[in-house]
């Protein structure tokens, strides 16, 4: 307000009295200037550089960095010499002379007197000043009231987010006249809150329930939550990212970014960071979307070292996963790729299906049977009457759909034959339904289909068990290895039993595809099992960065005390260069030898035990390795994290802007984080008040 540029641009005389008095109180603006004067005296060059000490020569001096010149503050206010009010003084060599000369001019002295007398001798000015203070007081009381109203409205939005309620019902388009859940909640609170009720009835400028205000509040809430997450990310030692894909009701592909790290309380957290719309599912597009967010959070090279893991979930993301992870690792060298193990299970089974013609046909028939009943309420009713089971719904990325469907057909094959026969014989069904029912009935009686049905039912028992085991929260790399070993053993037993599988089939069935016999089907069955076994062993093999977890498996400490796991140590140090090998070896040797550390049941409890014993300064490298292991989502935790996104399908099933979707999803998924942020509502109000169009109604005056 008291800068030279401001005083030149806006006349002092045209300002109201309160501003004049405030300017007098502020005094001259005295910034540092980049001002130099070079001169030559008797053949020698000399340079004079401006210093803020010049301001002590005259308290009325003021400077302008834009013009890089010095001015007279009183003369700028009331008018004076052109060189001191418009042009500015730049000659430092003769500055002392210019200051002394100007100080004794009549105009300058008059201006100093006028400035000194400002506000001292006019009773009317005191009256104006009192009125001004009353106006400020009245304004601030209105701001208080508006802030209290806004606080309650923010609570309503938080409630809708926490309980996954879309603000405008099922249509958030501008043309929608639907009142929505949010307005109903506000009206409910207004019925028991007189202040809110009065405000809603009388407010003309700030109502609080319009979509514009909702969107602005959502933006502010999202910024506060994201800022808190970014602060946690910058304070933590290591970070892992998990990228997923989902689709909203408008069939738009949404990329989902989740961060996993240890927070300030030592708790493992997985923070939902937001949705991003992808124009396609290519590796280039996915990579650009991820790097755009990461580079904003970790702009400096040292910060880039803390990203230690990356994993992916979703059909499109998985298809470009290898290309994406390589591009990410080129920028973030420690970001090792970790498969989502449940997706590996999908890939194993898909390999078995895609490599053999007979299995492709079998699963096409399985999916077609499920789809047949879901395409018509009349067919679904007929299915329910006889089978009395819900029809499985298909999914392109979840193999458990095939597990459920195969098991249902296996367990209710005779019921399904009866159901198809009834549909074919019932004249109430259309011609297409009757025709398809006849085809499916013959498929169920086909011996080749039955052979594969019985085979895959046996395989699915092992697949289903492994799928459920990989979903367990307490899983680690060693347990995954144990589970996959048992899985391979189970599939090997199925393979060995393929020779006798024909004996289990119904006697009345025959091979309808001429030329096939039991010998051929046994060969196909063994080939299917071999593919599953080979791919399971290949895809679940541990890479170097995952081997680091074996160093901290407490149940192996006694064994490691006798025979140190040198290979695992070398692989861990190679994967994570920030580890100091010899120091880590010494610390682990002590760790393995001390029985107290063998009580830990996981990496997280081992870290807590080290903190409890105040050993973190002595076991620094071990603590670093523990944080790496805990941060890396080594099992199916990607799948578990993304299953939390099912909780926000309420939002995805509505027509909703991406910004609203992001905030409401974060309010739902990160409801505990919102509660953790101190004075969350106040921070949102302050950010909302800082908006240009909201400044008047929500910003206090002094």
């Amino acid at each position: 307000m008291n800068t030279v540029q401001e005083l030149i641009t806006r006349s002092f005389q045209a300002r109201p009295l309160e501003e004049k008095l405030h300017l007098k109180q502020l005094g001259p603006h005295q910034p540092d200037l980049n001002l130099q004067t070079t001169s030559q005296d008797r053949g020698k060059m000399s340079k004079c550089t401006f210093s803020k000490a010049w301001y002590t020569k005259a308290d009325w001096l003021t400077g302008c960095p834009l013009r890089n010149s010095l001015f007279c503050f009183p003369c700028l206010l009331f008018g004076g010499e052109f060189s001191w009010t418009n042009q500015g003084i730049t000659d430092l060599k003769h500055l002392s002379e210019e200051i002394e000369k100007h100080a004794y001019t009549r105009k300058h002295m008059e201006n100093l007197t006028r400035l000194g007398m400002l506000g001292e001798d006019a009773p009317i000015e005191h009256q104006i000043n009192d009125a001004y203070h009353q106006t400020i007081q009245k304004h601030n009381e209105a701001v208080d009231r508006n802030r209290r109203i806004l606080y309650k409205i923010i609570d309503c939005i938080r409630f809708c987010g926490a309980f996954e309620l879309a603000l405008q019902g099922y249509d958030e388009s501008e043309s929608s006249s639907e009142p929505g859940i949010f307005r109903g909640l506000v009206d409910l609170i207004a019925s028991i809150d007189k202040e809110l009720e009065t405000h809603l009835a009388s407010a003309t400028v700030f109502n609080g329930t319009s979509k514009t205000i909702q969107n602005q509040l959502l933006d502010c809430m999202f910024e506060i939550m994201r800022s808190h997450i970014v602060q946690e990310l910058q304070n933590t030692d290591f970070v892992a990212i998990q990228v997923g894909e989902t689709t909203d009701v408008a069939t738009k592909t949404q990329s989902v970014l989740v961060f996993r790290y240890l927070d300030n309380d030592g708790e493992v957290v997985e923070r939902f960071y937001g949705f991003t719309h992808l124009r396609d599912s290519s590796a280039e597009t996915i990579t650009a979307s991820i790097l755009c967010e990461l580079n904003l959070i970790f702009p400096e090279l040292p910060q880039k070292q803390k990203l230690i893991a990356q994993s992916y979930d979703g059909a499109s993301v998985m298809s470009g996963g290898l290309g994406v992870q390589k591009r990410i690792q080129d920028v973030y060298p420690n970001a090792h790729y970790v498969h989502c193990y449940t997706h590996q299970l999908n890939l194993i089974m898909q390999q078995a299906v895609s490599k053999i013609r007979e299995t492709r046909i079998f699963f096409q028939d399985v999916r077609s049977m499920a789809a047949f009943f879901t395409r018509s309420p009349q067919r679904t009713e007929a299915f329910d009457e006889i089978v009395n089971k819900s029809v499985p719904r298909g999914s392109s990325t979840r193999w458990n759909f095939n597990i459920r469907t195969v098991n249902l057909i296996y367990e209710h094959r005779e019921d399904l034959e009866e159901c198809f026969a009834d549909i074919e014989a019932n004249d109430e069904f259309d011609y297409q339904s009757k025709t398809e029912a006849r085809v499916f009935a013959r498929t169920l009686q086909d011996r080749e289909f039955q052979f594969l049905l019985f085979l895959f039912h046996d395989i699915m028992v092992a697949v289903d068990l492994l799928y459920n085991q990989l979903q367990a929260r307490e899983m680690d790399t060693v347990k995954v290895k144990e589970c996959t070993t048992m899985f391979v053993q189970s599939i090997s037993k199925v393979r060995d039993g393929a020779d006798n599988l024909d004996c289990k089939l119904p006697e009345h069935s025959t091979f309808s595809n001429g030329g096939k016999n039991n010998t051929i089907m046994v060969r196909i069955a063994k080939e299917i099992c071999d593919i599953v076994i080979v791919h399971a062993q290949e895809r679940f093999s541990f890479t170097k960065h995952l081997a680091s977890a074996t160093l901290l498996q407490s149940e192996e400490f006694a064994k490691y005390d006798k025979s140190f796991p040198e290979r695992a140590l070398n692989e861990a140090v190679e994967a994570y260069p920030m580890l100091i090998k010899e120091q880590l070896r010494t610390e682990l040797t002590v760790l393995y030898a001390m029985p107290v550390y063998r009580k830990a049941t996981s990496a997280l409890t081992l870290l807590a035990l080290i903190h409890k014993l105040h050993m973190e300064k002595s076991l620094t490298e071990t603590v670093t390795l523990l944080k790496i292991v805990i941060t890396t989502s080594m099992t199916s935790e990607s799948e578990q994290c993304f299953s939390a996104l099912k909780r926000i399908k309420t939002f995805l099933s509505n027509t909703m802007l991406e910004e609203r979707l992001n905030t409401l999803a974060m309010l739902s998924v990160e409801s505990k984080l919102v509660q953790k942020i101190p004075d969350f509502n106040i921070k949102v109000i302050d950010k909302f008040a800082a908006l240009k169009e909201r400044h008047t109604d929500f910003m206090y005056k002094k």
Side-chain angles (χ1 to χ4, degrees), residues 431-442:
Y431 176 78
Q432 182 178 354
S433 297
K434 297 170 73 171
T435 302
E436 291 182 18
R438 182 168 58 253
V439 172
F440 288 134
R442 291 178 180 175

Side-chain angles (χ1 to χ4, degrees), residues 198-223:
T198 303
H199 176 84
L200 293 176
S202 60
T204 56
V205 178
F206 163 65
N207 181 273
T209 58
S210 70
K211 291 180 183 178
T212 301
I213 290 177
Q214 286 178 30
N215 288 339
Q216 290 175 339
L217 283 174
L218 287 170
D219 288 342
C220 294
M221 296 169 84
F222 189 64
E223 287 181 35

Side-chain angles (χ1 to χ4, degrees), residues 46 51 84 169 191 264 294 382 385-386 413 437 448 500 519 544 580 644:
S46 62
S51 168
W84 284 95
S191 67
N264 295 332
L294 292 179
E385 287 180 2
I386 297 177
R413 182 178 50 80
E448 179 181 330
N500 301 320
T519 303
K544 292 179 180 178
I580 302 174

Side-chain angles (χ1 to χ4, degrees), residues 243 245 281-284 286-287 290 310-329 335-340 347:
V243 182
E245 171 209 4
S281 58
S282 65
E284 292 80 5
I286 298 170
T287 304
I290 298 170
Q310 52 178 318
S311 55
Y312 301 91
D313 176 275
S316 298
V317 178
M318 285 297 294
S319 65
L322 293 175
V324 174
Q325 67 91 14
K326 180 62 171 65
R327 288 173 167 86
I328 297 295
Q329 200 163 21
H336 298 289
Y337 184 40
V338 181
H339 262 299
C340 169
L347 295 173

Side-chain angles (χ1 to χ4, degrees), residues 402-454:
N402 288 323
I403 295 175
R404 296 196 311 272
T405 310
V406 167
N407 289 340
L408 186 144
I409 295 174
Y410 176 84
E411 294 168 5
H412 299 277
R413 182 178 50 80
E414 294 181 356
D415 293 334
L416 284 169
E417 288 183 16
E418 180 185 348
C419 181
F420 286 130
D422 287 350
I423 292 173
E424 184 181 1
N426 193 334
D427 292 334
E428 294 181 2
F429 286 90
D430 57 84
Y431 176 78
Q432 182 178 354
S433 297
K434 297 170 73 171
T435 302
E436 291 182 18
R438 182 168 58 253
V439 172
F440 288 134
R442 291 178 180 175
T443 299
L444 288 173
Q445 295 170 2
D446 180 64
R447 199 165 185 81
E448 179 181 330
F449 180 87
Q450 291 177 355
F451 189 98
L452 293 176
L453 178 65
F454 278 61

Side-chain angles (χ1 to χ4, degrees), residues 35 40 154 197 239 285 292 450 470 523 638 653 658 691:
L35 183 59
Q40 186 173 356
I154 292 172
E197 182 183 26
V239 179
T285 301
C292 179
Q450 291 177 355
L470 293 177
R523 178 181 56 78
S638 292
S653 63
E658 181 181 317
L691 298 175

Side-chain angles (χ1 to χ4, degrees), residues 280-545:
D280 56 58
S281 58
S282 65
E284 292 80 5
T285 301
I286 298 170
T287 304
S289 173
I290 298 170
L291 288 178
C292 179
E293 299 293 351
L294 292 179
N295 292 338
L296 290 174
I297 300 171
F298 308 119
E300 304 297 331
L301 182 61
Q303 294 177 323
K304 294 183 186 297
Q305 304 297 321
K306 67 170 61 177
L307 185 63
I308 58 170
Q310 52 178 318
S311 55
Y312 301 91
D313 176 275
S316 298
V317 178
M318 285 297 294
S319 65
L322 293 175
V324 174
Q325 67 91 14
K326 180 62 171 65
R327 288 173 167 86
I328 297 295
Q329 200 163 21
D330 288 342
V331 182
Y332 296 84
N334 294 334
H336 298 289
Y337 184 40
V338 181
H339 262 299
C340 169
Y341 286 129
T342 45
H343 263 296
Q344 290 200 50
L345 185 61
N346 291 348
L347 295 173
I348 291 168
M349 297 306 299
Q350 287 166 6
Q351 289 287 347
V353 171
S354 62
K355 293 292 184 181
I356 302 173
R357 176 179 175 274
E358 287 77 7
T359 57
R360 288 201 304 272
I361 295 172
F362 170 77
F363 279 105
Q364 286 173 2
D365 291 338
V366 166
R367 285 189 285 268
S368 296
M369 286 185 193
F372 172 80
F373 290 106
T374 59
R375 288 173 185 159
S376 164
Q378 189 181 16
R379 299 176 187 176
T380 303
E381 184 179 352
F383 180 87
D384 291 340
E385 287 180 2
I386 297 177
V387 181
N388 195 26
K389 288 275 186 179
S390 60
V391 182
R393 302 277 177 175
S395 169
S396 60
T397 61
R398 302 290 184 260
W399 189 260
N400 54 348
F401 158 68
N402 288 323
I403 295 175
R404 296 196 311 272
T405 310
V406 167
N407 289 340
L408 186 144
I409 295 174
Y410 176 84
E411 294 168 5
H412 299 277
R413 182 178 50 80
E414 294 181 356
D415 293 334
L416 284 169
E417 288 183 16
E418 180 185 348
C419 181
F420 286 130
D422 287 350
I423 292 173
E424 184 181 1
N426 193 334
D427 292 334
E428 294 181 2
F429 286 90
D430 57 84
Y431 176 78
Q432 182 178 354
S433 297
K434 297 170 73 171
T435 302
E436 291 182 18
R438 182 168 58 253
V439 172
F440 288 134
R442 291 178 180 175
T443 299
L444 288 173
Q445 295 170 2
D446 180 64
R447 199 165 185 81
E448 179 181 330
F449 180 87
Q450 291 177 355
F451 189 98
L452 293 176
L453 178 65
F454 278 61
L455 171 70
F456 275 107
H457 175 263
D458 292 341
I459 291 176
M460 293 306 184
V461 171
V463 171
D464 199 20
L465 176 61
L466 180 59
Y467 183 90
N468 291 329
Q469 288 173 331
L470 293 177
Q471 290 290 312
R473 272 284 181 190
E474 66 275 8
M475 289 295 285
D476 57 28
T477 53
V478 177
K479 291 181 180 178
V480 170
K481 190 173 183 179
E482 292 174 358
C483 292
T484 51
T485 300
M486 292 175 60
F487 172 74
V488 169
Q489 291 173 353
S490 298
I491 299 301
S492 298
K493 290 180 181 179
V494 174
R495 185 188 187 282
D496 295 339
D499 293 316
N500 301 320
L501 192 60
D502 185 62
C503 301
K504 301 180 181 179
L505 304 184
E507 295 181 359
H508 65 278
S509 60
T510 57
F511 288 107
S512 59
N513 225 352
K516 281 216 176 65
N517 54 35
N518 184 61
T519 303
I520 296 175
M521 294 309 300
V522 168
R523 178 181 56 78
I524 292 173
K526 290 184 176 181
E527 186 178 352
I528 291 170
C529 293
D530 289 340
I531 291 174
V532 172
I533 291 171
V534 169
H535 283 279
Q537 292 172 335
E538 177 183 315
R539 291 189 178 275
F540 285 96
S541 61
F542 297 151
T543 55
K544 292 179 180 178
H545 62 283

